[in-house]
Structure formats: C-alpha cells, structure tokens
Amino acid sequence: MENLRFSASAILGALTEGCLAVLLPIVVLVVWMVRTKAKLVPFWVGCLVFPVFALLIEGGVAFVITFIDNKTLGILGKPLPLYLFSAAMAGIFEETGRVVGMKTLMRKYRDRRDGVTYGIGHGGIESVLLVGGGAAFTLLLALLTNTGMLDTVTAQYSDELKDAFMTNLRTMTENGFDTYMLGFFERISAIMLHVALSIIVFAGVRQKGKLWLYPLAIFIHFAADCTVIFPHVLGMPLWLFEVVFFAVAVGVLAGAVVFYRSLPQVLGEEPTAEPIQVNIQA
C-alpha cells in the first residue's frame, strides 16, 4: 500500500470544520431565540425531519432506483445525470418532509417565527450530521493512516473496493486547511437556504389556497442544488462555486425575508368581523 499521510493542516482543517459545523446552528438558534422569543419545538421538529426524509427515506428510494434497474444505474454513472437526479431527490423529499412535519408535529404552531425556527433545525442538523460527522470520519482516517493501522481496515476489501477506497483517500490527504474551510462556508449558505425554504413551505401549509408554495419550494431547492454541476461537470474552481452558491442562497433568503414580512404574525386565522353597532333613537 502506498505511503499516504494526512498533513497537519488537513487534520487542523477537519477539526476546525467539524467544530464550526456543530457550533454554527447553535449560535444561530441562540441569537434567534434571544431576539424573537420564538418557541423551541419547531427547531426539534426540523432536527427530526431531515434525517428521516433526507437520509432514511430519500436514501432508501435512491438505493432502490439505482441498484435494482441496471439501465438506470448506467445512466446515473455519468456526472450530469447523477447530479440532476440528486438535486431532484433532495428537493422532493426534503420539501415533502417539511410539509409532513409542519402538518403533523407542528399543527398547533402558527406564528410566522415558527417557520424560521424549523428551518434552523432542519439546516442545523444537516450541518451537524453531514459536515460534523464527515469531519469526525476524516479525523479517524487520518489517525489510522498516519499511525500505519490502515491495513487492518482494508485487509478484507476486494481489489476493486480497495482501489476505489485508496483513490478517495489520496484525494483527502491532498486537501489543505482551505478546502475544509470552504466546506464550512457552504454550511452557512445551506442554512440560509433551509430557513428561506422553510418560510415558504410554512406559509403554504398554514394559509388557505397557498399550497402551491410547496412545489415552488421543490423547484427552488432543485435549482439551488443544481449549482453543484459547476465544479463537478463544468470544472469551475471550488472556491468560485462556493461564492456562486452563497450568492444564490442570499438571493433566495432575501426574497423569503420580504415574503416573511408580508405575512401576518399568526397564519391561518380567519379575520373576525367587527360587530355592527346600531343606534336606535326613541
């Protein structure tokens, strides 16, 4: 096995990225709660919905689609169809998860602030699980690689699996501190996007005749995730992709904020008619 090592900057980068990815949603939540006195339950609903719909259900459906039909698997072996498929799956399942969570676990919550709090939970748990968890896995691999214990892990791998594993590991050892910081920067964009989409879906769920906002959120989610095509298909530098994705997230959030401010404080309540006073003079 070739002599690979993780540099000190890569290890520091993974450690910093993981810590920041966990701290980011906590800081956002605390600031939001202090400033608005919003209720906390929607945050936990968001934390529950993301892993159930994005990881378990979406992951299960994607496995069935790609590994049962060999023809589909062949098509998705190409980068462009793969990323379009992944963006569509994320849009459909995550936005459907928002609708289900808001209609069931949050059915008693109608304040417009609850949509934002939900979005912090949804995007926050994604940051913790995917980026924080990924950083922890990178640190484990770095420990095994730099101490010469990696052979004990790959000893039972087939030659094909070992080659694929070593290719990915080689790429990871070549990453520097800046690569991991770009990964954290992407979480800022992602949380902004999740908050914006949660505002849109929450309004669609709570307001009569506005459920069309749900497919709109799917489309926005799909379009935003399609930006991943730029670095992986078109060869755009990773740092430039992160800037583009950040600009997209800011644009979507700005539109959602304007929409949020146009909403009533409590959604879904029917306006009460003022009593008619009749003065009868004798």
Side-chain angles (χ1 to χ4, degrees), residues 71-92:
K71 184 177 180 180
T72 302
L73 181 59
I75 294 173
L76 295 179
K78 301 175 182 178
L80 182 57
L82 174 62
Y83 292 119
L84 289 175
F85 173 77
S86 300
M89 292 286 285
I92 292 169

Side-chain angles (χ1 to χ4, degrees), residues 6 10-16 134-144 172:
F6 281 81
I11 294 173
L12 179 61
L15 179 62
T16 305
F137 181 68
T138 299
L139 292 172
L140 176 60
L141 283 180
L143 175 63
L144 294 173
M172 294 174 69

Side-chain angles (χ1 to χ4, degrees), residues 5-17 135 138-139 142 146 171-180:
R5 289 188 65 83
F6 281 81
S7 65
S9 64
I11 294 173
L12 179 61
L15 179 62
T16 305
E17 179 193 38
T138 299
L139 292 172
N146 290 5
T171 300
M172 294 174 69
T173 59
E174 294 171 353
N175 290 335
F177 184 84
D178 57 333
T179 302
Y180 293 99

Side-chain angles (χ1 to χ4, degrees), residues 109-124:
Y109 293 83
R110 296 184 172 277
D111 192 293
R112 64 181 185 177
R113 293 172 295 181
D114 298 328
V116 176
T117 310
Y118 171 94
I120 297 172
H122 190 117

